[in-house]
């Protein structure tokens, strides 16, 4: 019995097999491209989100200020309130009152202008306070980052019982053994955990010392903060070593400031809370006091001007070009130029706005009115193109039916065609507004990068916008600007996503299929 001869693959079968293989490869390449794009987007969003997390919370210093300091709230100013705050701090840390450098370390934990919210609250009162005034003061950006563990972290370990404390000179002390064996173990424990370039603080009975040296069976200490315990035998009180994981030369906070912060935390004087100033304050040169309120309101005013200018002009231009304009060379040239303008770099529109609105018409710089007009020119071609596409998508039978029933050309367009094209026109307008919200370059050229310390109340007030604020904060040299910048990026992305979501919902709600 002979075996069947295998079928010979024809030329058509070979071509079909190759086409199928090519199609599968193309699908695979497309899926890989989409996967790579989604991966990069996810990495970007996660990176920004993680970076911005710390900006949504901050640490505040809590003080009860005596009411006697505020007998006349209406005449208070920043200096008066700062004097009251410093007096309260010195009453909490009286051991730091005699040395100017030590006092400066204490005062530097909170910026001078952190008292502004308390000052406004006191000035709004009709009478002098009768009870202590609770003050929540923003702490400096370096302190805030340190407390969040972003600069350095410290670890605390119990190292053994204390022996005898003796004073060597002003601020210098010697802690002797609490039993020779215990003290050797004490020093061995410190040596095992310490590392080069690392400062160590010693905590004893509510006081904090800096470990300067070990001498025989003694530790040489420098007092930093907290009441010094009575000299002599310490009755084997516990001694804790705080390893700062860095030395003061490579840290923005001194060892004394770290010691003060530790004592403040133990006393409940520091509180971590939601950073409301990020949304309520205007810009500031202090990262801990800066907020995006002026930029958010400025962006809203700018978008309002852009919408009022660009959307009606764009829609009516599209209606005329699509429905009424005669087909001529001039019309074709206008259409081609509109399409080309949509691809012109945005900075060119900034130059145009600066030349026309600032130099020719003499409008002020850095106001939402000018910014909105410039962005309106930028997105006008996009709105015209999207609106024409929406009008063109309406079947000609709608127009013919209206005209056949006796309607005029205008009635057919405005009563029948335009309502049917409205979802597409609205979607294009919202997407164009979203693009305008994210533009930076044209606004830089008209001066909206200026420092603005007040929240604008009208489109003619000096203001800035969110993309420009991102640019400004990102170029800041202090490390605290990094999470602040990431937080503003998240706010801007949230607004952009919301605008695009609205466009999608409107399209699905009113979309009609022919």
């Amino acid at each position: 019995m002979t075996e069947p001869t295998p079928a010979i693959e024809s030329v058509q079968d070979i071509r079909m097999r190759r086409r199928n293989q090519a199609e599968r490869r193309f699908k695979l390449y497309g899926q890989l491209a989409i996967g790579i794009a989604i991966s990069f987007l996810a990495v970007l969003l996660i990176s920004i989100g993680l970076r911005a997390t710390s900006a949504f919370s901050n640490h505040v210093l809590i003080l009860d200020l005596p009411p006697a300091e505020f007998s006349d709230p209406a005449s208070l100013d920043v200096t008066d309130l700062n004097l009251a705050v410093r007096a309260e701090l010195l009453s909490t840390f009286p051991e730091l009152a005699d040395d100017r450098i030590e006092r400066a370390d204490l005062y530097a934990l909170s910026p001078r202008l952190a008292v502004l919210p308390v000052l406004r609250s006191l000035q709004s009162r009709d009478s002098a306070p009768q009870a202590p005034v609770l003050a929540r003061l923003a702490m400096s950006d370096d302190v805030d980052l340190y407390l969040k563990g972003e600069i350095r972290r410290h670890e605390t370990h119990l190292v053994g019982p204390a022996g005898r404390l003796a004073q060597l000179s002003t601020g210098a002390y010697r802690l002797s053994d609490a039993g020779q064996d215990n003290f050797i173990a004490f020093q061995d424990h410190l040596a095992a955990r310490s590392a080069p370039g690392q400062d160590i603080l010693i905590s004893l009975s509510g006081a904090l010392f800096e470990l300067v040296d070990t001498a025989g069976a003694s530790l040489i200490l420098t007092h930093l903060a907290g009441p010094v315990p009575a000299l002599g035998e310490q009755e084997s009180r516990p001694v804790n070593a705080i390893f700062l994981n860095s030395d003061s030369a490579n840290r923005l906070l001194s060892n004394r400031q770290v010691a003060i912060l530790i004592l403040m935390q133990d006393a409940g004087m520091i509180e971590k809370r939601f950073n409301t100033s990020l949304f309520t304050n205007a810009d500031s040169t202090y990262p801990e006091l800066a907020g995006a309120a002026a930029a958010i309101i400025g962006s809203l005013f700018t978008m309002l001007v852009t919408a009022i200018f660009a959307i009606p002009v764009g829609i009516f231009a599209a209606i005329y070009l699509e429905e009424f304009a005669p087909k001529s060379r001039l019309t074709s040239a206008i259409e081609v130029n509109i399409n080309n303008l949509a691809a012109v770099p945005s900075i060119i529109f900034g130059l145009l706005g600066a030349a026309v609105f600032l130099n020719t018409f003499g409008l002020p710089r850095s106001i939402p009115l000018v910014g909105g007009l410039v962005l309106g020119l930028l997105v006008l071609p996009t709105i015209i193109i999207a609106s024409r596409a929406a009008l063109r998508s309406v079947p000609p039978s709608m127009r013919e039916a209206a005209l056949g029933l006796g309607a005029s050309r205008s009635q057919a367009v405005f009563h029948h065609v335009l309502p049917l094209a409205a979802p597409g026109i609205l979607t294009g307008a919202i997407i164009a507004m979203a693009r305008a919200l994210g533009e930076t370059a044209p606004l830089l050229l008209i001066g909206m990068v200026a420092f603005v310390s007040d929240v604008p109340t009208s489109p003619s007030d000096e203001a800035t916008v969110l993309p420009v604020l991102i640019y400004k904060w990102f170029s800041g040299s202090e490390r605290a600007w990094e999470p602040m910048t990431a937080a503003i990026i998240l706010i801007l992305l949230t607004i952009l996503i919301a605008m695009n979501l609205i466009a999608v919902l409107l399209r699905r709600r009113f979309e009609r299929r022919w």
Side-chain angles (χ1 to χ4, degrees):
M1 185 176 180
T2 59
E3 296 182 357
T5 303
I8 299 176
E9 193 175 21
S10 64
V11 176
Q12 290 79 7
D13 294 336
I14 294 174
R15 289 177 178 175
M16 180 62 71
R17 179 169 53 81
R18 289 178 178 175
R19 284 201 296 269
N20 293 334
Q21 290 175 347
E23 185 175 346
R24 285 195 293 270
R25 285 197 301 272
F26 176 76
K27 290 181 179 178
L28 179 62
Y29 295 154
Q31 292 169 353
L32 285 175
I34 293 174
I36 292 172
I38 293 177
S39 300
F40 277 110
L41 178 62
V43 170
L44 174 66
L45 293 178
I46 292 174
S47 173
I48 294 175
L50 292 177
R51 198 70 198 124
T53 301
S54 66
F56 290 105
S57 64
N58 65 347
H59 290 86
V60 295
L61 175 62
I62 301 176
L63 293 176
D64 285 326
L65 304 178
E69 301 287 340
F70 314 116
S71 57
D72 186 10
S75 63
L76 280 176
D77 58 17
V78 173
T79 302
D80 296 334
L81 207 51
N82 268 296
L83 290 175
V85 169
R86 292 181 176 186
E88 183 63 24
L89 287 174
L90 286 181
S91 69
T92 307
F93 298 94
E95 67 278 6
L96 307 179
D98 297 332
D99 188 277
R100 182 177 61 83
I101 297 177
E102 295 177 357
R103 292 199 305 272
D105 281 344
L106 179 62
Y107 298 157
L109 297 180
S110 180
R112 180 175 178 272
L113 295 181
V115 301
L116 281 176
V118 184
L119 178 63
R120 296 191 187 102
S121 175
L122 286 172
Q123 289 177 337
S124 65
R125 299 173 68 101
D126 297 329
S127 60
Q130 302 300 319
V133 176
L134 179 62
R136 287 187 171 88
L137 310 176
M139 308 203 76
S140 72
D141 56 327
D142 294 330
V143 171
D144 189 53
L145 291 177
Y146 185 87
L147 294 174
K148 290 174 180 173
E150 294 198 13
I151 298 180
R152 296 291 179 189
R153 301 176 187 275
H154 61 250
E155 300 175 357
T156 302
H157 297 277
L158 177 65
V159 292
R164 183 180 182 81
L165 183 68
Q167 184 170 11
L168 300 178
S169 61
T170 303
Y173 296 86
R174 181 179 62 203
L175 182 62
S176 304
D177 58 320
Q180 190 66 27
D181 294 339
N182 289 338
F183 204 82
I184 293 175
F186 185 104
Q187 292 190 350
D188 290 343
H189 195 86
L190 286 178
R193 290 189 172 274
S194 63
Q198 180 184 59
D199 285 341
I200 301 175
L201 306 186
I202 300 296
S203 172
L204 174 63
S205 301
L208 284 172
F209 302 85
E210 179 183 2
L211 177 62
V212 179
D213 196 6
T214 56
S218 302
L219 300 181
I220 306 302
L221 308 174
T222 298
H223 176 248
L224 295 177
V228 179
L231 301 179
E233 294 296 334
Q234 299 300 308
E235 301 176 350
S236 299
R237 290 171 180 156
V239 175
N240 290 303
I242 302 172
F243 298 87
L244 299 184
N245 295 331
S246 63
D247 57 18
S248 57
N250 297 313
R251 191 182 335 111
L252 296 174
L253 299 179
S254 66
N255 287 339
R256 188 179 310 281
Q257 288 176 316
V258 174
I260 295 171
L261 290 175
I262 293 172
L263 294 177
M264 284 181 169
Q265 284 186 306
D266 294 341
M269 298 174 62
I270 296 177
E271 181 182 76
K272 186 177 182 180
R273 53 188 318 203
F274 183 72
N275 186 11
T276 55
S277 61
L278 185 64
F279 303 94
T280 58
N281 287 6
D283 198 4
S284 171
T285 54
Y286 297 94
E288 59 273 22
L289 303 178
I296 293 174
I297 301 300
S299 294
L300 294 179
F301 279 135
T302 304
M303 290 301 101
L304 179 64
V305 174
T306 303
I308 292 174
F309 168 62
I311 292 178
V313 174
I315 292 175
F316 283 109
I319 292 173
Y320 175 77
L321 291 173
E322 190 65 28
E323 302 291 342
F324 298 99
K327 302 302 179 184
S328 62
R329 290 185 178 180
L330 177 61
T331 306
S332 300
I334 293 174
E335 292 176 354
V336 170
N337 280 285
I338 288 175
N339 293 332
N340 291 335
L341 282 174
V344 170
S346 59
I347 196 168
I348 303 299
F349 287 94
L351 292 171
L352 174 66
V356 174
F357 300 118
L358 301 185
N359 298 334
T360 303
F361 294 109
L363 293 175
R365 300 172 65 89
S366 188
I367 62 173
L369 177 61
V370 177
L373 293 175
V374 172
L375 293 179
L377 292 175
L378 173 66
V379 301
L380 191 57
T382 305
I383 295 176
I384 294 175
I385 294 171
S387 300
R388 292 191 66 189
L391 292 169
R392 200 178 299 126
S393 66
V394 178
S397 57
M398 295 294 176
R399 300 174 179 80
E400 296 168 358
L403 295 174
L405 292 174
S408 65
R409 189 68 177 269
S410 299
Q411 288 175 325
V413 171
F414 288 99
H415 295 177
H416 300 277
V417 178
L418 188 59
L420 295 175
I425 295 174
L426 195 58
T427 301
I430 293 176
I431 292 176
M433 295 297 295
R435 183 197 171 187
L437 182 62
E439 283 293 340
T440 308
L443 300 179
L444 295 178
L445 294 179
I446 60 170
M448 296 198 78
V449 71
F451 176 79
V452 179
S453 59
D454 295 321
V455 179
T457 56
S458 73
S460 59
D461 289 343
E462 190 178 45
T464 186
V465 292
L466 287 171
V468 175
L469 190 66
I470 292 171
Y471 169 79
K472 181 174 176 292
W473 284 6
F474 183 74
S475 58
S477 59
E478 298 179 54
R479 186 173 175 179
W481 291 117
E482 294 180 15
M484 298 281 289
T485 305
I488 298 302
I489 292 174
L490 278 188
I491 294 173
L492 180 61
L493 287 177
T494 302
I495 297 175
L496 291 174
I497 291 173
M499 294 180 71
N500 283 278
L501 184 61
I502 291 173
V504 172
L505 294 177
L506 289 175
R507 185 169 63 245
R508 289 192 175 184
R509 174 67 178 82
F510 298 105
E511 186 178 31
R512 293 189 181 184
R513 297 183 182 278
W514 315 105

